[in-house]
């Protein structure tokens, strides 16, 4: 039985990996049924609000170099590749999710995105939430008002009424999804870890493209159980033996995925193992729950989302707190900071991240600057091979 589980797991991971493409058909079917679509770009977006009105929420950030040449006809070449790629897929209509979206929602997380949202308004209705750049009490008050204004925008745009009970139910559903995903990635606290970081990422990223949020916890928990059952069956090639001795890596920095998964591959091809992601697509997006029992549910939503430790915040203590806890809990041997070219806030913050990792946590640190091309794969592999060898 356990041998079959080991054999079957790669196929399950690939199913999650292909979820973005697999859900194109599901999205079309939902549109034909009249389900509204809200396209989003960032983990600061309180998904519970559109979920409360029965909308499908889908991420629009694109992480491929495919449409960047077309985007550069309108945008500067020295702009963040995530911004260029996202705009390029919208302009060329190569992203079905952008096509299906009835409303695009952005937040003022970076200057490049803010100006891109203006340009996206030529293709689709766009609404921008004014995200504060600090986590002070005044900032919380502002963000709570923005959350309520967002609810009111959805009501007026779609001609619906969103009740408090609908919001609370959406909070419960989203929290349960977060709990299941946390339970899944916590299996990487085992030493040796039970799977490659590449497979871990496939599940974390792929789950964001499953539209029935109530089904996700059951699917993810079933996978978690299968991973644990396959961990040690007494054979030489079981995960507990296969991954023994690999240096344990935490990845932090800019949003990763798509083309930037080359960093994960280079690390693991050279003998390391990525055991946890602090990035937006990892722990940062699911670590904290919304207080389901809060008297003011909009205040609870605002608090939970404003607490995300993104480099757009000044100061940004929550990033360091989360990273420090993850380093300890996952017995991390080293940190790799992946920064997209022209992602200025993350690039500047590498200075303090390096100090925190090397001086306070006393483990090795490496910063990499990259884009969505494959031209630097050889260089990345050489640098990461040397880094892993040092560990």
């Amino acid at each position: 039985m356990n041998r079959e589980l080991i054999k079957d797991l790669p196929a399950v991971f690939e199913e999650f990996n292909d979820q973005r493409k697999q859900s194109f058909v599901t999205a079309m079917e939902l549109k034909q049924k009249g389900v509204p679509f809200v396209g989003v770009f960032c983990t600061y977006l309180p998904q519970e609000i559109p979920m409360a009105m029965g909308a499908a929420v889908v991420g629009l950030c694109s992480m491929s170099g495919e449409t960047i040449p077309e985007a550069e006809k309108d945008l500067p070449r020295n702009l963040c590749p995530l911004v260029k790629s996202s705009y390029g897929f919208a302009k060329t209509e190569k992203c079905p999710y952008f096509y299906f979206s009835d409303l695009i929602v952005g937040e003022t997380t970076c200057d490049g995105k803010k100006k891109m949202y203006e340009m996206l308004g030529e293709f689709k209705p766009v609404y921008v939430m004014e995200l504060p750049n600090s986590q002070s009490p005044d900032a919380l008050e502002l963000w709570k008002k923005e959350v309520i204004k967002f609810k009111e925008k959805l009501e007026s745009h779609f001609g619906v009424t969103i009740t408090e009970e609908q919001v609370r139910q959406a909070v419960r559903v989203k929290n349960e999804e977060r709990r299941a995903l946390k339970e899944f990635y916590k299996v990487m606290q085992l030493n040796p870890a039970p799977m490659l970081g590449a497979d871990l990422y496939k599940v974390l990223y792929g789950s964001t493209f499953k539209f029935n949020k109530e089904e996700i916890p059951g699917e993810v928990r079933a996978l978690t159980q299968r991973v644990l059952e396959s961990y040690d069956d007494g054979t030489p090639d079981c995960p507990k033996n296969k991954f023994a001795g690999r240096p344990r890596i935490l990845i932090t920095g800019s949003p990763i995925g798509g083309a930037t998964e080359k960093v994960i591959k280079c690390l693991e091809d050279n003998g390391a193992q990525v055991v946890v992601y602090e990035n937006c697509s990892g722990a940062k997006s699911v670590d904290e729950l919304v207080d389901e029992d809060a008297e003011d549910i909009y205040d609870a939503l605002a608090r939970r989302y404003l607490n995300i430790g993104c480099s757009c915040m000044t100061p940004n203590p929550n990033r360091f707190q989360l990273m420090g806890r993850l380093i300890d809990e996952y017995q991390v041997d080293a940190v790799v900071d992946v920064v997209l070219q022209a992602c200025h806030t993350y690039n500047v913050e590498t200075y303090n991240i390096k100090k925190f990792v090397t001086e306070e946590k006393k483990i090795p640190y490496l910063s990499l600057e990259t884009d969505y091309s494959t031209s630097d794969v050889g260089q990345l592999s050489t640098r990461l091979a040397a880094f892993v060898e040092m560990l």
Side-chain angles (χ1 to χ4, degrees):
M1 176 63 177
N2 285 342
R3 296 292 296 153
E4 291 178 1
L5 289 175
I6 296 174
K7 183 176 63 178
D8 290 343
L9 279 174
V12 178
F13 292 139
E14 283 307 314
E15 182 180 320
F16 274 90
N17 192 42
D18 293 337
Q19 188 63 46
R20 188 174 189 272
K21 294 179 181 179
Q22 291 173 0
S23 293
F24 290 162
V25 175
T26 305
M28 182 175 65
E29 292 171 349
L30 291 174
K31 285 294 292 183
Q32 290 172 343
K33 294 178 182 178
V35 175
F37 266 70
V38 176
V40 304
F41 283 98
C42 184
T43 51
Y44 279 109
L45 191 285
Q47 293 193 16
E48 290 86 346
I49 303 298
M51 285 172 57
M53 58 167 274
V57 184
V58 63
L60 299 179
C61 280
S62 297
M63 301 177 182
S64 161
E66 179 185 349
T67 63
I68 286 180
E70 186 62 34
E72 288 178 342
K73 294 178 181 178
D74 301 340
L75 298 173
R77 292 177 60 86
N78 62 342
L79 190 62
C80 168
L82 186 149
V83 176
K84 291 190 291 186
S85 179
S86 300
Y87 176 81
F89 273 94
K91 179 184 176 183
T92 60
E93 298 186 339
K94 289 185 176 181
C95 175
Y97 295 129
F98 188 91
Y99 175 80
F100 291 136
S101 293
D102 301 294
L103 180 68
I104 307 299
V105 185
E107 310 81 18
T108 53
T109 49
C110 84
D111 293 338
K113 279 187 176 180
K114 284 192 291 186
K115 303 309 291 185
M116 180 191 70
Y117 296 148
E118 294 179 19
M119 300 169 72
L120 288 182
E122 299 176 10
F123 311 122
K124 288 278 185 176
V126 175
Y127 180 75
V128 179
M129 299 180 70
E130 295 289 340
L131 179 73
N133 293 134
S134 75
Q135 293 158 329
S136 65
D138 288 343
L140 175 62
E141 183 179 351
L142 171 61
W143 188 233
K144 177 184 172 182
K145 290 178 180 178
E146 286 295 305
V147 171
I148 295 172
K149 284 169 61 179
F150 176 44
K151 177 189 82 80
E152 294 169 347
K153 172 64 179 179
L154 293 177
E155 290 177 322
S156 63
H157 186 82
F158 292 101
V160 298
T161 299
I162 300 173
T163 67
E164 180 177 324
E165 182 49 43
Q166 288 174 322
V167 174
R168 289 186 180 276
Q169 176 58 22
V171 166
R172 290 190 284 268
V173 170
K174 191 66 180 173
N175 270 352
E176 195 60 20
E177 176 191 348
R178 293 184 183 109
R179 290 187 187 99
L181 289 170
K182 287 176 71 174
E183 291 166 13
F184 175 71
Y185 71 67
K186 277 188 175 181
V187 302
M188 301 299 278
Q189 292 181 3
L190 291 170
N191 195 352
M195 59 187 152
L196 289 173
D199 292 327
L200 169 66
Y201 184 81
K202 290 171 185 175
V203 177
L204 295 176
Y205 182 67
S207 64
T208 64
F209 291 97
K210 290 181 177 286
F211 296 120
N212 190 332
K213 300 300 183 184
E214 293 183 349
E215 291 181 353
I216 293 176
E219 294 180 13
V220 173
R221 285 183 172 125
L223 176 57
T224 302
Q225 184 62 31
R226 294 177 71 180
V227 169
L228 291 174
E229 288 175 357
S230 71
Y231 182 58
D232 183 14
D233 62 1
T235 61
D237 62 344
C238 69
K240 183 175 182 180
N241 294 327
K242 183 165 61 175
F243 299 128
R246 286 186 175 231
R248 301 166 63 86
I249 307 295
L250 177 148
I251 287 186
T252 185
S254 303
I256 64 166
T260 49
E261 289 178 53
K262 60 190 175 184
V263 176
I264 305 170
K265 187 176 189 305
C266 286
L267 276 166
E268 299 194 322
D269 283 353
N270 284 291
Q273 189 172 18
V274 179
V275 295
V276 64
Y277 299 90
E278 185 271 339
N279 316 65
C280 300
S281 46
K284 187 180 292 182
S285 64
V286 297
D287 185 70
E288 186 174 341
L289 303 179
V290 179
D291 183 358
E292 300 176 14
D293 301 319
E295 182 177 347
D296 185 340
I297 196 63
Y298 297 104
D299 182 79
L301 281 166
R303 287 178 184 277
R304 186 270 171 199
Y305 281 93
L306 191 64
N307 279 346
I308 294 173
C310 176
S311 65
C312 66
M313 292 294 166
T314 302
N316 186 21
N318 290 351
R319 183 184 180 194
F320 294 85
Q321 290 172 10
L322 175 60
M323 188 181 306
R325 176 158 56 83
L326 294 176
I327 288 172
D328 294 340
E329 292 177 353
Y330 290 80
Q331 304 167 63
V332 169
D333 296 310
V335 170
V336 174
D337 198 349
V338 182
V339 180
L340 292 174
Q341 289 178 358
C343 187
H344 300 310
T345 54
Y346 272 107
N347 211 343
V348 172
E349 203 163 80
T350 58
Y351 174 78
N352 285 324
I353 293 294
K354 180 180 180 179
K355 286 179 60 180
F356 173 76
V357 172
T358 60
E359 296 178 13
E360 185 167 331
K361 306 308 291 185
K362 300 187 185 308
I363 59 174
Y365 166 91
L366 178 67
S367 175
L368 299 172
E369 188 174 20
T370 188
D371 60 11
Y372 291 162
S373 72
T374 58
S375 60
D376 63 347
V377 169
Q379 180 187 21
L380 286 174
S381 183
T382 300
R383 288 190 65 191
L384 290 170
F387 185 67
V388 173
E389 180 67 23
M390 176 192 71
L391 301 176

